Amino acid sequence: MSMEQEKEQDQGQQRYDAKKYRTPDGIPADIVMFTLAKQERKASTKSLPRFDLKVMLIRRRSWPFAGAWALPGGFSQEDESLYETARRELKEETGVDGHHLEYLGVYSKPGRDPRGWIISHAFFALVEEWVLEKRQSADDAQEVGLFTVKEALDDLQLAFDHREILEDAYKRIQQQMLHTTIAKQFLPPHFTLGELYQVIQTVVPDFAELNFIRKITSTRSRQGILEEVHDEKGVPMLSNQYSQRPAQLYRFTDYTPRLSIYT
Amino acid sequence: MSMEQEKEQDQGQQRYDAKKYRTPDGIPADIVMFTLAKQERKASTKSLPRFDLKVMLIRRRSWPFAGAWALPGGFSQEDESLYETARRELKEETGVDGHHLEYLGVYSKPGRDPRGWIISHAFFALVEEWVLEKRQSADDAQEVGLFTVKEALDDLQLAFDHREILEDAYKRIQQQMLHTTIAKQFLPPHFTLGELYQVIQTVVPDFAELNFIRKITSTRSRQGILEEVHDEKGVPMLSNQYSQRPAQLYRFTDYTPRLSIYT
DNA sequence: TAAATAGTGTCTCTTAGACATTATGGT
DNA sequence: ACCATAATGTCTAAGAGACACTATTTA
């Protein structure tokens, strides 16, 4: 607590007057919208889709950073929490509600925004590819771009400290992919283990498990995070959408194991 | 971005005037200061210390929530990041610098602070017991209390939404205790495996490992997070501070394994 | 010599890891 | 017949889990 504010309270004053202190000029929420975009493949036969992890950016048209790509976002209002701000912005940007939306962190380095004292709160969202593609083509008011994370980090000059935010978001989505079941956000309700493996590998490229299927299906310690899908008669449900040989369909349970470096 | 602000930018205006919009009345950082307090034990002989996880609170003397216990904290200034605010407050509260300090999250629910639109950022810190004890006795300006987390959550009416913050902080420190090596913050540079086990169990009571010592010392997958301490001549260093039989001393390496629910 | 912690022996069952092999069915 | 994916077989070494047992020293 700053000294002035502290003293004021010590004197038992009944009103707090914000006008006496310098206060921020705005509190935006910026959103890193990730999607998994299906790669074009010269499919000689049925094959598993490969994906790219992409992020949606908007080209700024006004000062500051006019012309630069930036994360979509907007200012918070007094009658909403920052999570609600982010939800609202996400809906405005995509036209769709109900996506996974998660808080990332606060960005408050002095000077990060030339417009003044502006403290930004970053979120990341997981959105289906078609939502962003629709947005990309339909919106004539703003130039919208979908870039792979690698492109965005290596080739673009992002506005503000959005590069740092994107880096942090990338680390976080990788961590969440391995620690939680967010993979389900990128998968249909029922999926094959091959699909799941593709999703994990897209987000965490150095995740490699030779015996992935066996480990998932036959180790006690993983029991519980996935379950086989059966139809009404109890017959296992299979899919041959991506392979000749039909593959068992799975879904996530609502169980997430506790991880530990000590055991 | 709110519609007015958006439009303004679209018109290519060169200046952003915060005065036109409602802006927050203050952006404080609140700090959950955790410590491990040694329990008194009727030690008939040498024995391992048992601990309580405690949290430092300050009794408010002015409106709002006068008389209630609250997390220490203070308002952020324009020339500092929120992390720097928290660092500064932590130093002011403890008189000591250099503690583990980690961002927790933002608390922005409308109406959370009767003084106005005040968005709080929570941090948690890990502090040695003696630092808080000194603070507790030396400070005649403020009433300072050290409570176990259970007491604070079960018995106290905390100011603002500080109960929610404390709950979140408790969950987070438990997660961090198992996913990272923050246990080192509560341990001397060299420690025995018994000490480490006590620390983990204090923070995560339902962590139970019958063969803790063996698992740490003899499994390949944990190799790397701890190493034995030797003296200059290469002789293993032992301690019998807490036991009759001398125990090997360990230290953390700087390696933290990557965890995954899939493998 | 009892107390309290440190550490090892032993046994069974499970899992990891590396590869080879078989299964499926459309193109 | 070939291809791409799905899934199982096989073997070895390592780890999990449970518990009994030994080791060390001093109050």
Side-chain angles (χ1 to χ4, degrees):
Chain A
M1 193 160 286
S2 76
M3 291 322 272
E4 312 89 276
Q5 282 152 330
E6 179 76 37
K7 278 204 215 83
E8 188 174 332
Q9 292 201 350
D10 288 356
Q11 287 151 19
Q13 174 175 322
Q14 288 299 300
R15 302 213 58 76
Y16 171 91
D17 186 359
K19 298 295 160 291
K20 288 177 161 176
Y21 312 106
R22 175 80 171 98
T23 58
D25 298 321
I27 305 288
D30 291 319
I31 308 180
V32 183
M33 292 188 211
F34 286 117
T35 196
L36 243 52
K38 200 173 287 187
Q39 290 179 3
E40 300 300 328
R41 298 187 73 197
K42 55 279 145 210
S44 60
T45 174
K46 274 187 202 171
S47 65
L48 263 180
R50 304 297 149 96
F51 298 99
D52 288 312
L53 180 66
K54 295 198 171 180
V55 60
M56 194 191 91
L57 300 173
I58 287 177
R59 194 193 282 277
R60 292 187 57 81
R61 276 180 310 207
S62 52
W63 179 88
F65 298 101
W69 292 96
L71 297 171
F75 285 86
S76 189
Q77 298 161 1
E78 188 177 9
D79 62 352
E80 64 186 4
S81 69
L82 276 153
Y83 187 82
E84 288 161 355
T85 307
R87 256 267 94 82
R88 174 171 57 76
E89 292 295 333
L90 180 56
K91 175 134 189 251
E92 284 175 15
E93 295 292 347
T94 62
V96 180
D97 212 340
H99 296 291
H100 182 90
L101 177 65
E102 192 175 325
Y103 183 60
L104 186 62
V106 61
Y107 293 81
S108 55
K109 204 165 61 211
R112 61 174 293 283
D113 189 323
R115 290 171 296 184
W117 185 13
I118 292 184
I119 295 171
S120 176
H121 295 82
F123 290 76
F124 74 89
L126 308 184
V127 178
E128 299 95 312
E129 185 182 11
W130 65 265
V131 173
L132 296 186
E133 277 176 342
K134 186 164 65 74
R135 170 71 164 82
Q136 209 173 357
S137 54
D139 198 313
D140 48 39
Q142 287 204 68
E143 192 178 353
V144 174
L146 251 190
F147 302 90
T148 68
V149 172
K150 188 175 163 22
E151 282 168 3
L153 288 175
D154 292 351
D155 304 340
L156 302 183
Q157 298 288 331
L158 302 185
F160 307 103
D161 47 7
H162 288 186
R163 179 181 215 286
E164 187 186 346
I165 296 178
L166 180 57
E167 283 172 351
D168 293 346
Y170 186 41
K171 281 181 209 144
R172 181 72 139 275
I173 194 182
Q174 293 191 111
Q175 204 216 81
Q176 293 292 79
M177 180 62 56
L178 296 182
H179 288 195
T180 74
T181 56
I182 52 163
K184 71 166 74 116
Q185 305 298 325
F186 289 133
L187 288 165
H190 302 162
F191 49 86
T192 67
L193 296 181
E195 289 179 272
L196 171 58
Y197 190 62
Q198 288 305 320
V199 168
I200 299 173
Q201 280 225 308
T202 302
V203 177
V204 189
D206 58 345
F207 178 87
E209 284 300 324
L210 230 51
N211 293 329
F212 183 73
I213 291 181
R214 159 169 294 148
K215 286 172 85 158
I216 288 294
T217 55
S218 74
T219 68
R220 212 173 37 184
S221 56
R222 250 80 62 193
Q223 262 173 23
I225 85 170
L226 292 179
E227 62 187 6
E228 294 184 3
V229 181
H230 300 83
D231 66 15
E232 324 77 53
K233 307 189 200 69
V235 180
M237 288 180 66
L238 307 177
S239 160
N240 65 345
Q241 184 178 7
Y242 300 124
S243 63
Q244 313 305 351
R245 174 172 176 173
Q248 175 65 48
L249 288 170
Y250 288 83
R251 66 171 149 239
F252 280 99
T253 67
D254 49 10
Y255 169 69
T256 310
R258 172 201 267 176
L259 300 172
S260 161
I261 60 172
Y262 296 111
T263 153
Chain B
M1 194 161 284
S2 75
M3 291 322 273
E4 310 91 275
Q5 282 152 329
E6 179 76 36
K7 276 201 218 84
E8 188 174 331
Q9 292 202 348
D10 288 356
Q11 287 152 18
Q13 174 173 324
Q14 287 301 300
R15 302 216 57 76
Y16 170 92
D17 185 0
K19 298 298 160 288
K20 290 176 159 176
Y21 312 107
R22 176 77 172 99
T23 59
D25 298 321
I27 305 288
D30 291 318
I31 308 179
V32 182
M33 293 189 211
F34 286 118
T35 195
L36 245 51
K38 201 173 286 187
Q39 291 178 3
E40 299 300 329
R41 298 187 73 198
K42 56 278 144 207
S44 61
T45 173
K46 272 187 203 174
S47 65
L48 263 181
R50 305 296 148 96
F51 299 99
D52 289 312
L53 181 66
K54 295 197 171 181
V55 59
M56 195 191 91
L57 299 173
I58 286 177
R59 194 194 280 278
R60 291 186 58 82
R61 276 180 311 206
S62 52
W63 179 88
F65 298 101
W69 292 96
L71 297 171
F75 285 86
S76 188
Q77 297 161 2
E78 189 176 8
D79 62 352
E80 65 187 4
S81 69
L82 275 153
Y83 187 83
E84 288 162 354
T85 307
R87 257 270 89 84
R88 175 170 58 74
E89 293 295 332
L90 180 56
K91 174 130 190 253
E92 285 174 14
E93 295 292 346
T94 62
V96 179
D97 212 340
H99 297 290
H100 181 90
L101 176 64
E102 192 174 324
Y103 183 60
L104 186 61
V106 62
Y107 293 81
S108 56
K109 205 167 60 212
R112 59 174 296 281
D113 189 323
R115 290 171 294 185
W117 185 13
I118 293 184
I119 295 171
S120 177
H121 293 83
F123 290 76
F124 74 89
L126 307 183
V127 179
E128 299 96 313
E129 185 182 13
W130 65 265
V131 173
L132 296 188
E133 278 175 341
K134 185 162 68 72
R135 171 72 165 80
Q136 210 172 358
S137 55
D139 197 313
D140 48 41
Q142 286 205 69
E143 192 178 353
V144 173
L146 251 190
F147 302 90
T148 67
V149 172
K150 187 173 164 21
E151 282 168 3
L153 288 176
D154 291 352
D155 304 340
L156 302 184
Q157 297 289 331
L158 302 185
F160 307 103
D161 48 7
H162 288 187
R163 179 182 215 287
E164 188 187 345
I165 297 177
L166 179 57
E167 283 171 352
D168 293 347
Y170 186 40
K171 280 180 209 145
R172 181 71 140 274
I173 194 182
Q174 292 190 111
Q175 205 215 80
Q176 293 292 78
M177 179 62 57
L178 296 182
H179 289 195
T180 74
T181 56
I182 52 162
K184 72 167 73 118
Q185 305 297 325
F186 288 133
L187 289 165
H190 302 161
F191 50 86
T192 68
L193 296 181
E195 289 180 273
L196 171 59
Y197 190 63
Q198 288 305 320
V199 168
I200 299 173
Q201 279 225 309
T202 303
V203 176
V204 190
D206 58 346
F207 177 87
E209 283 301 324
L210 229 52
N211 292 328
F212 184 73
I213 290 181
R214 159 169 295 149
K215 286 172 85 160
I216 288 294
T217 56
S218 72
T219 68
R220 210 174 36 185
S221 56
R222 249 79 63 193
Q223 262 173 22
I225 83 169
L226 293 178
E227 62 187 6
E228 295 184 2
V229 182
H230 301 84
D231 65 13
E232 323 78 53
K233 306 188 201 70
V235 182
M237 288 180 67
L238 307 177
S239 159
N240 65 345
Q241 184 179 6
Y242 300 123
S243 64
Q244 314 306 349
R245 174 172 174 172
Q248 175 66 49
L249 288 169
Y250 287 84
R251 66 172 149 239
F252 279 99
T253 66
D254 50 10
Y255 169 70
T256 309
R258 171 201 268 177
L259 299 172
S260 161
I261 61 172
Y262 296 110
T263 154

